């Protein structure tokens, strides 16, 4: 059974700092991996999707990398801003038939002005 | 930009009652999903739906739950005889795809319905 873990569970940084969020998964037979942002009491906003054949994906100040063989992904946020404060979730889609996403517990990020 | 919508945003119900949660997926999407998130816990998959039938479901999705696409736009989750432990945020999601193929399209989530069972 796929398990997804995110470390740290919470992170507080000063504005302007570059930071890395980590995601690990136990079964490397994934089809893709998605990073989401969740604001308190709100839905999930998709940030990036990385295919299993890709090594990284970029969107603005966000860069996500994937090392499928070691079961790891990172989300790099450059020049963090207070508006980046949210919970960041990673989710993997398994490699055989099926579309279900298995989620990690999230990293709660606070960027202080 | 197209988005997934859900109604109601908050539903309070008494234990044992039936509830229907409603979703309008993105219009050209073919795959529809329900997930839930109990307060303080991970987001959990419930069910996926494609071509008017369930394509996958989790252990959570037992006989208490059912899904339906009653028309060309709505996608519903029915919970019969609600229990206290059904209290959670329920998220609907949809993704695109070409008919008959598994494609790696992103799943887009709605804002959620907070279900409170008292």
């Amino acid at each position: 059974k796929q398990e997804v873990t995110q470390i740290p569970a919470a992170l507080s940084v000063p504005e302007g700092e570059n930071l890395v969020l980590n995601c690990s998964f136990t079964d490397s037979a994934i089809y893709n991996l998605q990073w989401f942002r969740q604001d308190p009491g709100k839905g999930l906003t998709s940030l990036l999707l990385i295919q299993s054949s890709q090594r990284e994906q970029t969107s603005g100040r966000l860069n996500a990398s994937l090392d499928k063989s070691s079961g790891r992904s990172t989300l790099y946020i450059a020049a963090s801003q207070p508006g980046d404060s949210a919970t960041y979730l990673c989710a993997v889609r398994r490699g055989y038939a099926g579309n279900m996403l298995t989620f990690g517990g999230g990293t709660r990020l606070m960027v202080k002005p | 930009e197209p988005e997934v919508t859900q109604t109601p945003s908050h539903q309070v119900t008494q234990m044992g009652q039936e509830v229907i949660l409603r979703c309008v997926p993105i219009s050209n999407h073919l795959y529809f999903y329900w997930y839930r998130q109990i307060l303080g816990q991970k987001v959990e998959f419930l069910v996926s739906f494609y071509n008017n039938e369930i394509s996958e479901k989790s252990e959570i999705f037992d006989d208490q739950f059912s899904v339906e696409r009653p028309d060309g736009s709505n996608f519903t989750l029915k919970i019969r005889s609600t229990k206290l432990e059904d209290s959670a945020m329920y998220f609907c999601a949809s993704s695109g795809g070409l008919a008959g193929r598994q494609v790696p399209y992103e799943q887009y989530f709605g804002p959620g319905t907070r279900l409170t069972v008292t």
Side-chain angles (χ1 to χ4, degrees):
Chain A
K1 181 185 172 185
Q2 178 76 270
E3 295 286 342
V4 181
T5 304
Q6 292 185 247
I7 294 173
L11 182 63
S12 180
V13 300
E15 182 177 4
E17 194 160 295
N18 302 324
L19 59 101
V20 174
L21 307 181
N22 297 293
C23 172
S24 61
F25 44 94
T26 55
D27 185 349
S28 61
I30 66 167
Y31 198 75
N32 61 39
L33 182 147
Q34 255 181 282
W35 281 94
F36 293 89
R37 169 186 173 135
Q38 184 176 30
D39 292 286
K42 304 290 184 182
L44 282 66
T45 301
S46 179
L47 299 173
L48 289 163
L49 179 145
I50 310 182
Q51 300 286 44
S52 60
S53 57
Q54 296 177 314
R55 300 286 285 184
E56 63 179 60
Q57 227 9 294
T58 297
S59 175
R61 294 183 294 109
L62 305 179
N63 176 279
S65 68
L66 175 64
D67 184 343
K68 189 177 145 181
S69 60
S70 68
R72 292 174 194 243
S73 176
T74 61
L75 179 67
Y76 174 83
I77 302 176
S80 58
Q81 303 169 359
D84 295 331
S85 298
T87 296
Y88 291 81
L89 303 173
C90 72
V92 298
R93 180 183 157 193
R94 62 186 180 186
Y96 52 97
N99 288 318
M100 64 174 284
L101 292 176
T102 301
F103 281 82
T107 294
R108 191 170 63 253
L109 174 65
M110 169 85 69
V111 181
K112 296 181 179 177
Chain B
E1 185 174 328
E3 58 183 19
V4 177
T5 59
Q6 291 185 242
T7 54
S9 57
H10 191 189
Q11 172 102 41
V12 181
T13 190
Q14 290 190 325
M15 200 166 49
Q17 296 297 304
E18 175 182 287
V19 295
I20 297 176
L21 309 183
R22 291 184 167 78
C23 168
V24 178
I26 294 173
S27 63
N28 63 347
H29 282 183
L30 298 176
Y31 296 85
F32 314 114
Y33 316 85
W34 284 101
Y35 292 82
R36 78 173 185 190
Q37 186 177 33
I38 296 170
L39 190 63
Q41 297 187 23
K42 292 182 179 182
V43 177
E44 303 172 288
F45 169 79
L46 293 177
V47 66
S48 63
F49 193 84
Y50 169 73
N51 199 25
N52 283 319
E53 61 183 23
I54 291 173
S55 54
E56 194 172 10
K57 61 182 181 179
S58 71
E59 297 167 349
I60 303 167
F61 194 88
D62 59 21
D63 293 343
Q64 181 195 10
F65 295 91
S66 62
V67 289
E68 191 179 27
R69 187 152 164 85
D71 52 43
S73 60
N74 291 284
F75 180 51
T76 62
L77 174 69
K78 181 189 289 186
I79 310 175
R80 288 181 279 275
S81 190
T82 49
K83 307 173 208 170
L84 294 174
E85 53 265 37
D86 294 327
S87 295
M89 182 77 95
Y90 287 81
F91 294 109
C92 174
S94 68
S95 64
L98 300 176
R101 289 180 53 196
Q102 290 288 333
V103 289
Y105 287 5
E106 289 177 73
Q107 292 188 24
Y108 293 88
F109 282 67
T113 293
R114 180 164 299 285
L115 176 65
T116 302
V117 182
T118 62

